């Protein structure tokens, strides 16, 4: 029988992959060996899937631990799949399979799904549909259909997909998922009719939220007045779990598999700062042992990997940053002596944490930046530094708990000018936030112009990345109002036009103002703080063939209205006593109210005249 297109593609993927650590000892027939089969559904192509740290780290952990009765596999949005409107299908009617096995994904015991932002939750529905797995928990039969487990930052509010996910893992999932596997294995091998159900047993595991065990009382238009456990086995609150640095497996902080072109590492997890709008300050700040990272770089050199990604909210907080960068520079220089180019890609830095030594170490690398390498087709930047002031107005910076003062940014730019190796500056700003006034947005253009001048190089380039303010669940901003994405796009136009007016048309060629993504943001606005009724809205749109990547605001409003939900209700300041994600919420109401009051006072006061 000839191989299907999917068989051919997965064989090619396997031929290109190298496990960076010791190879996995995987049995040919997991079921015969008495092992559960867990499949991670990753809604991306192969190259990008390898950068998905959460699923890939857990995949690596399961396949390395002899004490876990399971094997892990991966199924992707393969290149050979056929796209039909919003659906993906396998060509020639072949079953949707994993990279590792031709056994259909639908026959797995556990399926892992994730989303990195709530505007992408619909991809979970698409992947379940592709796999032939009933989307709703109520439609799946235990023992026949897999247990569906969700996680990652897009499920910070797990309620939109509460009717579709059996389990949501909060925080680091290494321990909670391991316990889930043990419980399910026992349940499958020795089923019992007395005692707690499988879902009730899983609810006892720290870090696992079981949506079906909670009963919401819905409010008109959106939101809930109560969220009560349906059984005494369900805890009133579920706490995210985080492992100390010494307990994190290598796959959590390094990419476990490479396709030969790229690999990456995480020097730090979390952030030392706790800005009010950012979820990075929620988990404890942890630093990866230097030896683990240098051994990893040695292995990458053996494999001749040509791109090294430093995935970290800010490498400047790593206590061994200088040693790490110098070690990486050694690999870059040895490759150059062999006429090979090794590129490093970094994330943003904190301007208040850099020094001249850091810039010199970065200059020794053939460096780029994650945004420009992976998202920009027009420019492949080198000698780039990324700073996130977030706001151009100093008092807004302070009100939101950010410490990035203008003086600190100017000092960092002075260091860049003296260093001479930085040619491109990327500035991240938030627009559409409560407390913001029109003059605050205009000030972004002045900030960008001044930063360009301060770099002091004739070829200097400034990229202004404008991001819509999104109040993240489980932060002090979680109740704050959101601007309409259509208005935010207009705000971006205003910043762009102001900057062009300030610098002139000719000099404006040295600037980029990047913003947009309104379709995704309309979904993000609703899904980031919705109750579980929104899942039915997403499913209705999906069933109607709507492309949820480009859904219009009108189509979304129409679908919401059919379910008694109001779009603007989701954008409002949420003064409800109970939030939809109440069982996973741990922010003190007094902290939220103080911030909201201060921002409202600022937004409505007049700017004093000079």
């Amino acid at each position: 029988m000839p191989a299907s297109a999917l068989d051919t593609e997965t064989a090619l993927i396997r031929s290109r992959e190298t496990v960076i650590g010791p190879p996995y000892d995987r049995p040919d027939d997991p079921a015969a060996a008495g092992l559960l089969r867990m499949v991670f559904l990753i809604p991306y192509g192969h190259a990008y899937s390898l950068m998905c740290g959460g699923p890939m780290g857990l995949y690596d952990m399961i396949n390395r631990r002899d004490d876990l009765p399971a094997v892990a596999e991966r199924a992707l949005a393969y290149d050979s799949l056929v796209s039909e409107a919003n659906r993906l299908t396998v060509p020639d009617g072949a079953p949707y399979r994993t990279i590792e096995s031709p056994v259909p994904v639908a026959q797995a015991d556990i399926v892992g799904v994730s989303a990195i932002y709530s505007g992408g939750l619909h991809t979970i529905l698409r992947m379940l549909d592709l796999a032939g797995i009933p989307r709703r928990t109520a439609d799946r039969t235990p023992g026949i259909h897999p247990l569906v487990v969700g996680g990652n930052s897009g499920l910070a509010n797990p309620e939109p997909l509460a009717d579709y996910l059996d389990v949501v893992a909060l925080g680091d999932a290494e321990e909670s998922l391991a316990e889930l596997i043990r419980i399910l294995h026992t349940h499958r091998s020795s089923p019992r009719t007395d005692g707690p159900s499988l879902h009730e047993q899983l609810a006892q595991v720290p870090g696992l939220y079981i949506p079906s065990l909670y009963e919401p009382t819905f409010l008109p238009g959106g939101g809930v007045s109560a969220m009560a456990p349906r059984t005494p086995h369900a805890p009133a609150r579920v706490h995210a779990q985080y492992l100390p640095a010494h307990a994190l497996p290598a796959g959590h902080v390094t990419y476990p598999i490479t396709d030969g072109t790229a690999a990456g590492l995480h020097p730090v997890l979390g952030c030392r700062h706790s800005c009010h709008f950012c979820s990075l300050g929620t988990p404890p700040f942890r630093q990866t042992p230097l030896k683990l990272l240098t051994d990893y770089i040695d292995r990458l050199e053996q494999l001749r990997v040509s791109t090294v990604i430093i995935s970290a909210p800010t490498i400047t907080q790593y206590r061994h940053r200088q040693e790490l960068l110098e070690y990486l520079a050694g690999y870059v220089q040895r490759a150059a002596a062999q006429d090979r180019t090794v590129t490093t890609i970094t994330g943003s830095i904190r301007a208040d944490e850099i020094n001249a030594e850091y810039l010199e170490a970065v200059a020794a690398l053939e460096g780029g930046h994650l945004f420009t390498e992976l998202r920009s087709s027009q420019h492949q930047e080198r000698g780039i530094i990324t700073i996130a002031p977030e706001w151009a107005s100093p008092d807004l910076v302070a009100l939101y708990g950010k410490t990035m003062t203008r003086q600190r940014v100017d000092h960092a730019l002075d260091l860049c000018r003296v260093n001479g190796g930085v040619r491109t500056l990327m500035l991240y700003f938030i627009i559409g936030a409560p407390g913001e006034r029109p003059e605050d947005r205009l000030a972004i253009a002045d900030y960008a112009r001044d930063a360009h001048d301060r770099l002091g190089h004739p070829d200097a380039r400034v990229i202004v990345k404008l991001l819509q303010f999104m109040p993240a669940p489980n932060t002090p901003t979680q109740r704050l109002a959101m601007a309409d994405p259509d208005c935010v796009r207009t705000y971006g136009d205003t910043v762009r036009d102001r900057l062009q007016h300030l610098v002139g048309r000719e000099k404006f060629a040295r600037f980029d103002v990047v913003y947009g993504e309104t379709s995704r943001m309309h979904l993000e606005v609703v899904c980031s703080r919705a109750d579980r009724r929104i899942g039915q809205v997403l499913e209705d749109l999906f069933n109607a063939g709507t492309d949820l990547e480009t859904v219009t605001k009108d189509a979304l409003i129409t679908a919401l209205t059919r379910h008694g939900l109001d779009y603007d209700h989701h954008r409002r300041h949420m003064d409800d006593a109970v939030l939809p994600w109440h069982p996973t919420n741990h922010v003190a109401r007094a902290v939220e109210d103080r911030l909201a009051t201060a921002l409202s006072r600022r937004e409505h006061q007049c700017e004093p005249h000079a």
Side-chain angles (χ1 to χ4, degrees), residues 13 33 132 140 215 295 417 446:
I13 288 173
R140 295 193 287 267
E215 179 69 43
D295 286 350
R417 184 180 66 251
D446 298 72

Side-chain angles (χ1 to χ4, degrees), residues 185-372:
H185 186 264
T186 300
H187 182 83
R188 291 280 174 88
S189 57
S190 304
R192 294 178 55 184
T193 56
D194 59 329
S197 68
L198 172 63
H199 284 71
E200 289 174 329
Q201 293 177 58
L202 294 176
Q204 301 300 304
V205 178
L208 295 186
Y209 173 58
I210 315 300
S212 62
L213 299 186
Y214 296 83
E215 179 69 43
T217 302
F218 296 122
L219 291 170
V224 300
S225 61
M227 178 69 81
R230 288 173 166 151
T231 166
H233 296 283
R237 295 295 175 95
V238 183
H239 299 265
Q241 300 297 296
Y242 297 102
L243 301 179
H246 67 83
L248 290 170
H252 192 109
V253 292
T254 56
Y255 296 8
I257 293 177
T258 180
D259 63 357
T261 63
L265 48 92
H266 302 264
V268 300
L269 299 168
C271 181
R272 289 188 182 279
H273 304 271
S274 296
C275 305
H276 298 329
F277 59 92
C278 181
S279 59
L280 282 175
T282 300
F285 178 73
R286 291 155 293 171
Q287 305 189 62
T288 303
L290 178 62
K291 182 67 163 53
L292 190 157
L293 299 180
T294 54
D295 286 350
Y296 184 77
I297 293 170
D298 288 343
R299 179 62 174 149
L300 299 187
E301 184 168 3
Q302 292 172 3
L303 296 172
R304 298 169 68 89
V305 173
S306 58
T307 300
V308 182
I309 301 169
I310 302 176
S311 297
T314 167
I315 188 179
T316 50
Q317 296 180 4
Y318 186 47
R319 64 171 171 262
H320 302 301
R321 68 185 188 189
Q322 209 67 22
E323 298 99 314
L324 177 63
L325 293 173
E326 289 172 0
Y327 201 89
L328 187 53
Y331 172 31
V332 171
Q333 292 157 10
R334 287 187 294 274
Q338 301 170 359
D339 293 325
R340 291 193 302 114
T341 297
V342 172
T343 299
T344 58
I345 300 178
T346 60
S348 63
I349 63 164
R350 288 188 61 97
D352 51 351
E353 295 172 344
I354 68 170
N355 54 30
E357 291 75 21
Y358 171 81
L359 290 174
E360 289 172 4
V362 170
L365 303 172
E366 184 71 20
H369 178 265
L370 197 58
F371 173 84
T372 53

